[in-house]
Amino acid sequence: MFFTYLRRELRRRRKAAAVIASGLALGIGLVIVVSSVSAGMREAQDQVLHSLYGVGTDITVTKEQAEEGGGGPRRFTIGGGKDGGTTTRTDDNLMPVGGFDKLDADVVDAIRGQDGVATAVGALALNDVTFKGEFKPGEIQGVPQGKPGEKPQGRQFVQGGGADVDVDSFTVTGVDTGEQSVGPLSSSKVTAGTGFTAGDTDALKAIVDSAYAKDKGLKVGETLTIKGKKFEVTGIATADTGAATSQVYIPLKRAQTLADVDMKDKVSTVYVKADSSEQIGAVKKAIDASIDGATVTSSADLAEQVSGNLSTASNLADNIGRWLSVAVLAAAFLVAGLLTMSAVSRRVREFGTLKAVGWRSGRVVRQVMGEALVNGLIGGALGIALGVGGAYLVTALAPKLTAGVAATERGPGGPAARALESAGDQIEIALRAPVTLNVIVLAVALAAAGGLIAGCFGGWRAARLRPADALRRIA
């Protein structure tokens, strides 16, 4: 009887049901779009972190270089000809990246032994700067001097000479070949050739970033000279998103040996993976407390540094979008409730008569709430369709967003900022608005809630009706 009456009443009041369902559909559709855009913002931010931070990396540890340790400009020695004549020279300098101090390999072992740490690996960031050109000494001009020991007879000066020098530079990172699931190379995928193996600790092998390989015309099997050593290019790596952390990767032991300054058993960055996401905070605090002067950065800290219009859009979606959704949804629920009450008021004679023939108030209320719940579910179905369509339009029409990572107050910004420097300080991210199962479940829950709220309004009004009201209407 309940369902028969319900079906008949919904058919009789199709227009009223459509108005209530449409109001709920608009509110639910907006919630789906905003939730999907917010999820897309988080996904875009994750892509930035994924490309800059390394897959599986939860924490990075660096140490800011002391001011007396060379905070000023670096000095390079460029030699001239031995006989004083014109000569062609090539000087290859492999220096640690400025701003970072070296960490002992013992630090890596100490971090690896901390509670809550799954693994930790060290990496050494270097800059290879090569000067190549012709060097010609100047010639002494002016009045010649007297005999040795005598006072010069006139002024002399050097004229001419100089150098025509080409400068080439690229970034080199020494990586731990025994553990590659964490670290600077983990955010790239080897798309040509092969990667490192655990036994390549001292091998003259190099993996080159695809963008750098394309720029220099490097292919698998060719050689690349680093500090006078010829490295075979065994693989080409492509960053999953955005810029690669380095342009060239070589085994860590080789990088430590070839550096111009003493870097034996030294690293510039430690990459840490925690046992679980819940332990990242505790691990970060423990590392910060145990290593003097270290800059310990977690993926959450890096996320807070993501800037550009990605950050602006993310804040807009999270703040304004959330409150707009709540306001529209509350208005939709209120309108649905008022419309249901109005519909019940127009059915005074019907409900009064039903009470007069024996229907209890509870049965009338259940009937009204049943109708409102069905209207809510219909509105939910329409809202899901509207929301999915809106999310698809956002994905299809949204412009690309840019993101950057600012340097921290305590240090030079870490490997993330270094990767952005090679990418022009910005990364472009395509905005998506994915509709997940959780969002659909949320939409169904909101539809049911909207229907129940509207039913409560209508049920309250129906419960107050008396058979005498119906008799007065008939008279």
Side-chain angles (χ1 to χ4, degrees), residues 1-192:
M1 179 68 179
F2 173 81
F3 291 104
T4 301
Y5 191 81
L6 177 66
R7 184 171 59 253
R8 183 173 63 82
E9 290 303 314
L10 288 174
R11 284 180 179 176
R12 284 178 55 195
R13 294 173 174 83
R14 285 192 295 267
K15 290 184 178 179
V19 171
I20 295 172
S22 298
L24 290 173
L26 289 174
I28 292 169
L30 179 62
V31 170
I32 291 177
V33 172
V34 171
S35 298
S36 299
V37 170
S38 296
M41 294 299 175
R42 289 190 294 271
E43 183 182 274
Q45 193 174 77
D46 288 343
Q47 288 180 16
V48 176
L49 302 181
H50 177 85
S51 63
L52 301 181
Y53 213 65
V55 182
T57 301
D58 298 316
I59 297 169
T60 58
V61 182
T62 57
K63 192 172 183 180
E64 187 178 358
Q65 193 172 47
E67 291 184 9
E68 64 271 14
R74 295 197 176 277
R75 296 178 61 87
F76 298 96
T77 301
I78 305 174
K82 292 182 180 179
D83 57 358
T86 301
T87 185
T88 299
R89 280 189 60 89
T90 299
D91 290 277
D92 195 350
N93 298 271
L94 190 61
M95 304 295 293
V97 171
F100 293 99
D101 203 353
K102 49 193 175 185
L103 296 164
D104 291 330
D106 294 344
V107 172
V108 182
D109 295 332
I111 293 174
R112 194 181 290 126
Q114 295 258 6
D115 290 337
V117 174
T119 187
V121 297
L124 179 58
L126 303 168
N127 278 330
D128 186 289
V129 183
T130 302
F131 300 91
K132 182 177 181 180
E134 289 189 348
F135 299 85
K136 182 180 180 181
E139 297 179 355
I140 298 176
Q141 303 289 333
V143 180
Q145 291 183 341
K147 294 179 181 180
E150 293 182 0
K151 193 174 181 179
Q153 300 176 7
R155 297 183 60 188
Q156 292 181 314
F157 57 91
V158 177
Q159 188 175 36
D164 183 12
V165 182
D166 290 328
V167 180
D168 183 33
S169 67
F170 56 91
T171 56
V172 180
T173 298
V175 298
D176 188 338
T177 59
E179 177 58 78
Q180 300 177 59
S181 62
V182 173
L185 190 53
S186 62
S187 60
S188 297
K189 186 180 297 181
V190 177
T191 52

Side-chain angles (χ1 to χ4, degrees), residues 46 377 473:
D46 288 343
L377 293 176
R473 294 289 182 94

Side-chain angles (χ1 to χ4, degrees), residues 108-312:
V108 182
D109 295 332
I111 293 174
R112 194 181 290 126
Q114 295 258 6
D115 290 337
V117 174
T119 187
V121 297
L124 179 58
L126 303 168
N127 278 330
D128 186 289
V129 183
T130 302
F131 300 91
K132 182 177 181 180
E134 289 189 348
F135 299 85
K136 182 180 180 181
E139 297 179 355
I140 298 176
Q141 303 289 333
V143 180
Q145 291 183 341
K147 294 179 181 180
E150 293 182 0
K151 193 174 181 179
Q153 300 176 7
R155 297 183 60 188
Q156 292 181 314
F157 57 91
V158 177
Q159 188 175 36
D164 183 12
V165 182
D166 290 328
V167 180
D168 183 33
S169 67
F170 56 91
T171 56
V172 180
T173 298
V175 298
D176 188 338
T177 59
E179 177 58 78
Q180 300 177 59
S181 62
V182 173
L185 190 53
S186 62
S187 60
S188 297
K189 186 180 297 181
V190 177
T191 52
T194 59
F196 295 123
T197 63
D200 288 334
T201 55
D202 201 27
L204 288 171
K205 294 181 179 180
I207 295 176
V208 181
D209 175 60
S210 57
Y212 183 72
K214 182 178 180 181
D215 182 50
K216 298 299 181 180
L218 291 171
K219 296 180 180 178
V220 173
E222 295 184 349
T223 58
L224 177 68
T225 301
I226 303 175
K227 194 60 181 175
K229 296 287 186 180
K230 292 189 177 295
F231 285 76
E232 181 187 358
V233 178
T234 58
I236 305 294
T238 302
D240 292 336
T241 309
T245 307
S246 182
Q247 293 169 320
V248 178
Y249 304 91
I250 62 175
L252 176 59
K253 187 176 179 180
R254 277 289 177 183
Q256 292 169 334
T257 304
L258 293 176
D260 285 342
V261 296
D262 182 17
M263 296 299 290
K264 185 180 179 182
D265 296 328
K266 306 292 183 182
V267 297
S268 57
T269 308
V270 182
Y271 294 81
V272 184
K273 181 179 181 181
D275 283 330
S276 65
S277 58
E278 291 79 12
Q279 293 178 302
I280 293 176
V283 170
K284 178 188 173 184
K285 287 181 180 178
I287 296 173
D288 211 359
S290 61
I291 303 176
D292 238 6
T295 299
V296 186
T297 308
S298 69
S299 49
D301 297 329
L302 188 60
E304 293 176 359
Q305 297 177 47
V306 173
S307 58
N309 60 19
L310 170 60
S311 177
T312 303

